[in-house]
């Protein structure tokens, strides 16, 4: 039987209880790109508690306008942790390169998006992630086959909402699953 290999771009990966890798414990990951060559996504529910957007702007020598919102900085994943990725709504596009993920979401990894946000010209909704989660060819499919992740539809409130501590359970509830009913072990019938 041939395995299905759908494109998961624009979907959420929701970590199952008992995830072996502690970096992904209760993680909700928005998949930005998925192909036969691998996958790339951003964790949307793990804030970087020691880093503020205003500090990053200062470090990058980007002046900001008074009253500009201080967007949250997240730990996007364990790969290239010093590189920034802005996940945002499609009302914004960078001249230097924006990846349109799906109908409502895009990702930009160039400095101009930070400059535009700092001057109030950025996207309506955005999330800044440091680093990303990456999988080589077949790796994500293997993790899915091992019941490491659930796949869900991306919901704006889960991806861009501010209540990071509730995103995992909200993503599960979006699948009709009560988080308390999940077991960290699986079986076969």
């Amino acid at each position: 039987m041939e395995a299905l290999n759908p494109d998961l771009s624009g979907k959420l990966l929701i970590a199952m209880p008992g995830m072996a890798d502690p970096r992904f414990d209760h993680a909700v990951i928005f998949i930005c790109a998925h192909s036969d060559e691998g996958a790339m996504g951003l964790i949307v529910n793990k804030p970087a508690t020691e880093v503020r957007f205003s500090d990053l702007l200062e470090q990058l020598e980007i002046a900001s306008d008074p009253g500009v919102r201080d967007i949250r900085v997240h730990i996007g994943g364990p790969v290239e942790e010093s590189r920034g990725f802005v996940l945002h709504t499609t009302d914004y596009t960078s001249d230097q390169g924006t990846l349109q993920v799906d109908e409502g979401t895009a990702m930009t990894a160039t400095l101009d998006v930070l400059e535009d946000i700092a001057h109030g010209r950025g996207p309506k909704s955005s999330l800044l992630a440091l680093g990303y989660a990456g999988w080589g060819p077949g790796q994500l499919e293997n993790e899915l086959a091992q019941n490491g992740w659930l796949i869900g539809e991306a919901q704006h409130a889960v991806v861009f909402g501010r209540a990071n501590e509730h995103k995992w359970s909200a993503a599960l509830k979006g699948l009709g699953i009560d988080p308390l009913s999940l077991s960290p072990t699986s079986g076969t019938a």
Side-chain angles (χ1 to χ4, degrees):
M1 182 170 125
E2 190 176 322
L4 292 174
N5 189 8
D7 179 2
L8 299 178
S9 298
K11 302 284 188 196
L12 292 179
L13 286 185
I14 307 153
M16 286 289 288
M19 169 65 71
D21 189 332
R23 299 172 297 183
F24 298 110
D25 181 45
H26 288 82
V28 178
I29 300 176
F30 181 85
I31 298 296
C32 299
H34 181 230
S35 70
D36 292 339
E37 297 171 18
M40 180 269 186
L42 299 172
I43 300 173
V44 299
N45 67 327
K46 303 230 181 228
T49 53
E50 289 88 39
V51 183
R52 292 178 46 98
F53 181 61
S54 56
D55 297 335
L56 282 176
L57 292 179
E58 190 175 309
Q59 184 180 6
L60 295 167
E61 298 179 0
I62 298 173
S64 63
D65 292 351
V68 168
R69 62 190 166 99
D70 195 20
I71 65 171
R72 280 194 155 160
V73 180
H74 287 73
I75 298 166
V79 183
E80 292 190 52
E81 294 175 298
S82 62
R83 187 168 175 206
F85 300 87
V86 178
L87 190 63
H88 57 85
T89 47
T90 54
D91 58 325
Y92 175 87
T93 303
S94 165
D95 294 335
Q96 298 179 26
T98 293
L99 170 68
Q100 176 125 2
V101 178
D102 61 23
E103 194 175 288
T105 315
M107 183 190 67
T108 304
T110 53
L111 275 179
D112 61 327
V113 67
L114 298 179
E115 292 167 349
D116 287 341
I117 291 170
H119 296 294
R121 299 186 304 261
K124 182 179 178 189
S125 296
S126 60
L127 176 145
L128 172 59
L130 296 177
Y132 67 92
W135 294 266
Q139 186 180 2
L140 178 56
E141 291 76 9
N142 184 50
E143 290 180 17
L144 288 166
Q146 299 298 316
N147 296 316
W149 303 97
L150 292 172
I151 301 167
E153 294 297 321
Q155 305 153 38
H156 186 89
V158 172
V159 175
F160 297 112
R162 296 193 57 83
N164 289 298
E165 65 279 6
H166 299 297
K167 288 182 178 184
W168 184 76
S169 58
L172 288 172
K173 288 177 183 172
L175 293 173
I177 298 172
D178 178 353
L180 297 175
S181 71
L182 283 179
S183 168
T185 59
S186 64
T188 55

